[in-house]
Amino acid sequence: MCALRVPAMAATQSILRRVVPSFVSTRPTTHVLRVILPTPLQPSAEISLQATSAKVNARLTSAELNCARQAFGICSLPQAIKGDADVVPKGVGDKNTIEDVKRIVELAKRASLRREVLHTDFLTPPVLKESMLVLERLADLKIVAQGGYPEAERCRLSLGHPDALTSDPDNVAALSISGNFSFQPCSHGDFLGAILGTGITRNKLGDILLQGEKGAQVLVVPELSDFLVSALDKVGNVSVTCKKIPLLALEYEPPRTKSLKAIEASLRLDAVASAGFKVSRTKMASLISNGDVRVNWSTVAKSNTTIKTGDMISVSREGRLKIGEISSTRKGKFAVELIRYL
């Protein structure tokens, strides 16, 4: 005998008429299914159904199984992703993020089912975007994205049932890295390399905000802030002091950019990137083959990769370039808007 909770009498009877016959065969055995029906007057009103049947037939169709699950409330995310996590890739536009998105969906399902709040690590913009598109279809789930400041590029997701996630969680910490950088300026890569050199992995770090001669501010998962304060003592050849600061003390401003136009015969990565970064096409092809070029934060190894509007091209030691509007010229070439981050 089993007790299962369902939403309403009419819906229960309709579903049982369709589903119960699929559970039984022809050898006469009596099974009793006790269904608890919550009502305004009787929170635990019960009905009993007897079915003269044989053993339960486990070979149900997916439609029958989903029907039973929805009727009996077995899964509190009945239409989260129209079935299992295997369906997720069909709704993901950036195929490079599929595995990351699937793991985040599984985390969200656990958080909702257990009515607890779980957090992801810091996510790259493509993974964040694709995850949000999928998670918005989940039932019984609240999502909060936080990166430490409004324009944050890398963010963490807090996932939980609405009853559990009632306020914005405190899941991002800020640190100030200060030193005398007057004579030895350090780049974003210098700070990142120094932090990773302590043993922290990249997904535990958010954005790094450069402050010129003063140093930088960095976002990190709270559980590693004390470690980083004690472990980080040098960036490049500059001795530094690392300390915790409140998020309200972060100093940030919109990134400075410069726009230019390029006319290209094709939309190949090596052609467009060489124009945007003002380097030879041969050098750009070499950077691509060496794994120093990323498109939308994913490393690209082929020079003939086609780029499109909205793509973000990152080149190690060169910076970032965003692809703006693309139009065709009368001679059959492409006029490409290039937005260079300074």
Side-chain angles (χ1 to χ4, degrees):
M1 182 178 294
C2 61
L4 299 169
R5 192 172 299 276
V6 294
M9 176 75 74
T12 302
Q13 293 175 339
S14 173
I15 292 171
L16 288 175
R17 282 197 295 270
R18 290 184 283 116
V19 176
V20 169
S22 299
F23 281 81
V24 298
S25 58
T26 55
R27 292 175 55 191
T29 304
T30 299
H31 293 274
V32 178
L33 177 65
R34 181 165 58 88
V35 183
I36 302 174
L37 296 171
T39 67
L41 297 179
Q42 289 183 288
S44 60
E46 299 180 4
I47 61 170
S48 294
L49 300 176
Q50 289 189 348
T52 301
S53 65
K55 61 183 179 180
V56 173
N57 179 2
R59 295 181 177 274
L60 298 177
T61 67
S62 60
E64 291 169 336
L65 185 58
N66 288 335
C67 182
R69 283 175 174 168
Q70 293 183 38
F72 299 151
I74 293 174
C75 177
S76 65
L77 299 176
Q79 297 176 341
I81 44 178
K82 299 181 180 179
D84 300 319
D86 292 338
V87 182
V88 171
K90 296 180 180 179
V92 176
D94 186 345
K95 301 306 179 184
N96 295 319
T97 67
I98 288 176
E99 293 304 319
D100 291 324
V101 173
K102 288 176 68 173
R103 284 192 290 269
I104 293 168
V105 168
E106 288 302 320
L107 188 71
K109 291 169 66 177
R110 287 204 307 273
S112 181
L113 288 170
R114 298 175 184 176
R115 277 175 162 71
E116 59 184 355
V117 179
L118 299 175
H119 313 287
T120 69
D121 288 328
F122 283 98
L123 306 177
T124 62
V127 174
L128 180 66
K129 175 185 174 182
E130 298 290 353
S131 297
M132 292 291 286
L133 291 175
V134 174
L135 294 175
E136 286 172 355
R137 308 204 307 265
L138 299 180
D140 298 332
L141 181 71
K142 183 178 178 181
I143 312 162
V144 176
Q146 291 178 306
Y149 64 104
E151 287 81 15
E153 193 170 84
R154 298 172 65 91
C155 294
R156 301 185 74 187
L157 290 179
S158 297
L159 311 165
H161 190 278
D163 294 341
L165 187 52
T166 56
S167 60
D168 290 351
D170 184 17
N171 69 345
V172 178
L175 302 176
S176 173
I177 304 173
S178 58
N180 185 6
F181 294 94
S182 301
F183 301 103
Q184 295 185 4
C186 287
S187 67
H188 181 281
D190 293 326
F191 283 95
L192 177 60
I195 295 170
L196 297 182
T198 66
I200 293 179
T201 57
R202 185 64 180 96
N203 58 2
K204 301 298 182 182
L205 296 176
D207 289 358
I208 297 175
L209 305 174
L210 299 180
Q211 295 183 295
E213 296 181 357
K214 293 190 297 182
Q217 295 174 329
V218 60
L219 286 307
V220 64
V221 294
E223 56 269 25
L224 290 179
S225 58
D226 287 332
F227 167 78
L228 198 54
V229 166
S230 62
L232 186 64
D233 58 5
K234 184 171 288 189
V235 175
N237 295 320
V238 180
S239 296
V240 299
T241 300
C242 186
K243 66 178 182 179
K244 298 180 184 178
I245 60 173
L247 293 178
L248 291 177
L250 288 172
E251 299 175 7
Y252 61 91
E253 59 183 27
R256 294 183 299 116
T257 61
K258 178 181 179 180
S259 296
L260 60 147
K261 287 276 189 179
I263 305 297
E264 299 295 332
S266 72
L267 295 177
R268 286 172 55 111
L269 173 61
D270 57 351
V272 175
S274 63
F277 290 104
K278 301 295 184 181
V279 300
S280 70
R281 190 161 173 175
T282 300
K283 180 179 179 180
M284 183 56 62
S286 177
L287 289 170
I288 294 172
S289 62
N290 290 336
D292 291 328
V293 179
R294 295 173 298 280
V295 177
N296 298 328
W297 292 269
S298 297
T299 301
V300 176
K302 294 182 179 180
S303 294
N304 62 353
T305 300
T306 301
I307 59 92
K308 61 184 182 300
T309 297
D311 282 349
M312 183 73 75
I313 302 174
S314 306
V315 178
S316 298
R317 298 173 295 278
E318 295 289 344
R320 293 184 299 161
L321 179 73
K322 186 174 183 179
I323 307 302
E325 183 180 352
I326 299 175
S327 58
S328 299
T329 69
R330 294 180 179 179
K331 295 183 178 181
K333 294 186 177 183
F334 298 95
V336 184
E337 180 187 14
L338 304 173
I339 305 170
R340 179 79 180 271
Y341 286 78
L342 304 177

